[in-house]
Structures are given as C-alpha cells and as structure tokens.
Amino acid sequence: MSQGERDLQEIHGTKRRADAFYSNQMIDYLNEEMQHYLLRQTFIFIATSDKDGNCDSSFKAGEQGFIHLLDDKRLMYPEYRGNGVMASLGNILENPHIGLLLIDFFDDQIGLHINGAAEIIENENIHEVAPNVTDDRAERWVVVTVHEAYIHCSKHIPHLVDTKNLRDWGTDDTAKKGGDYFKVKQSNKDRK
C-alpha cells in the first residue's frame, strides 16, 4: 500500500474499510486458491514504469498454463516474439516493480492482482530457474516475486463468451495482427 492511498483513505473516511480489506484480502504470497486460479488463466495485463515513473501497460496471452508457478512467492511468464519495442522489458531493466492483473471474464468473473518485483531471464538460462519448463516460442521469461496478492471483486467484471481462440497464434502476417487499425501511418503523414 502506498502513502498516497493512506492519505486518500484518511481524507475520504475509508480507512476502516481499507484496513479490513488489507487484513482480510491481501497477502504477500500466492495461496493455494490463487495458484489454481493463476494456472487456469490464458492472459494477463501487466503494468510497468521506467526509472522516472513513465508508465506502460501491456497484455500477455498464451494457452492455459503459459503462466508458470515456481513456488508460492514466484511465478513466471514467457515473452514471445513481438514488435521489437520491448517497452515493458525496458522498464523492468530500469525499475523492477511490476503489477499484474488477471481477470476471469468467462467462468467466475473474478480478478487477481499481483504486485511485486520482476526479473528478466533469457531463454537459454531458464532451466537454471525452472528445469522442467519448455516453450519453444518463448524468447525470454519474466520472473515475478510476489509482494502483494489480492482479489479484484467481481461486481463490475462482465461475462464474456470465449470463442476458443479464433486468432492465428504466432503469426507475422500484418493484416492478421491488426495491421494499421488505428491508421497511425496516415495520421503521421497528415501531420507533416
């Protein structure tokens, strides 16, 4: 918890409610229920920031089980080939703090927040951390040490219908990846 959230709790009179949440819902490890939940997920949202606090959010996805549990304090996920920008990884190099949000939109409509410290492990070194893990598509891995784990309540999580992955996983076809959906190329030309 941050001093900022404590200050706002004081200002808005929510300190007692917040204290109950911290006591009853927040832990510094992944309990058995959280571990089972995590292993079922097919995507995560991640948040990082550079050394100056400039933020980046990203989305990581894979087949069920792409997130690996190392123990009750550590998990890891693969970094697959992307656009080459490596914004999240660059932030992790400068500032290891990371926030993960896992949301089950399909079955239980519940979420799990995990905040902690991240470390990048190159693929050729992954067997030193996780001897039995293989993923031929992974270029590197992010290992997260858990500092906080807590629920994201279900009351505002919509129920979505899983179309069973109608995406062409791993493609480099520009059109299948979304192409220039937001027309950035044209916007840049128009601004010149």
Side-chain angles (χ1 to χ4, degrees):
M1 70 195 85
S2 70
Q3 186 58 49
E5 65 188 71
R6 283 307 212 176
D7 291 345
L8 286 173
Q9 292 161 15
E10 216 36 70
I11 290 167
H12 296 289
T14 64
K15 186 179 180 316
R16 201 171 109 205
R17 206 170 42 187
D19 285 343
F21 180 84
Y22 297 142
S23 296
N24 298 323
Q25 296 296 328
M26 187 178 283
I27 54 179
D28 64 354
Y29 65 97
L30 299 169
N31 68 16
E32 195 171 318
E33 289 75 15
M34 291 173 174
Q35 292 176 32
H36 291 301
Y37 175 88
L38 184 137
L39 294 173
R40 290 192 316 264
Q41 302 314 303
T42 58
F43 60 88
I44 55 176
F45 299 98
I46 69 170
T48 59
S49 67
D50 66 18
K51 67 183 181 342
D52 297 319
N54 298 301
C55 297
D56 184 71
S57 59
S58 192
F59 173 80
K60 304 294 177 187
E63 286 90 22
Q64 197 172 59
F66 86 106
I67 304 169
H68 296 270
L69 194 61
L70 299 174
D71 53 49
D72 69 353
K73 289 285 286 182
R74 296 178 309 143
L75 62 97
M76 68 181 201
Y77 63 85
E79 282 284 333
Y80 297 130
R81 185 174 185 275
N83 58 16
V85 173
M86 298 191 187
S88 299
L89 294 175
N91 285 345
I92 290 168
L93 278 181
E94 293 184 16
N95 174 0
H97 297 285
I98 190 167
L100 308 178
L101 177 59
L102 300 94
I103 298 182
D104 176 354
F105 291 105
F106 309 110
D107 296 318
D108 299 321
Q109 288 85 43
I110 200 80
L112 174 64
H113 291 265
I114 300 171
N115 296 320
E119 175 187 6
I120 302 166
I121 306 292
E122 293 300 325
N123 205 35
E124 59 268 14
N125 300 323
I126 195 58
H127 293 298
E128 296 168 18
V129 176
N132 299 322
V133 171
T134 57
D135 186 334
D136 294 336
R137 293 181 299 146
E139 292 190 341
R140 57 199 48 82
W141 297 80
V142 174
V143 174
V144 177
T145 300
V146 177
H147 295 165
E148 298 175 336
Y150 55 93
I151 194 170
H152 185 97
C153 79
S154 63
K155 74 177 171 184
H156 298 297
I157 297 175
H159 180 235
L160 302 180
V161 176
D162 187 357
T163 58
K164 297 297 177 213
N165 300 314
L166 296 178
R167 294 284 178 199
D168 193 0
W169 283 97
T171 185
D172 275 329
D173 181 304
T174 303
K176 288 181 180 178
K177 293 189 322 185
D180 192 18
Y181 179 86
F182 292 106
K183 311 233 181 300
V184 172
K185 276 186 189 177
Q186 188 60 47
S187 295
N188 284 339
K189 287 178 187 176
D190 293 345
R191 291 184 68 122
K192 291 181 181 178

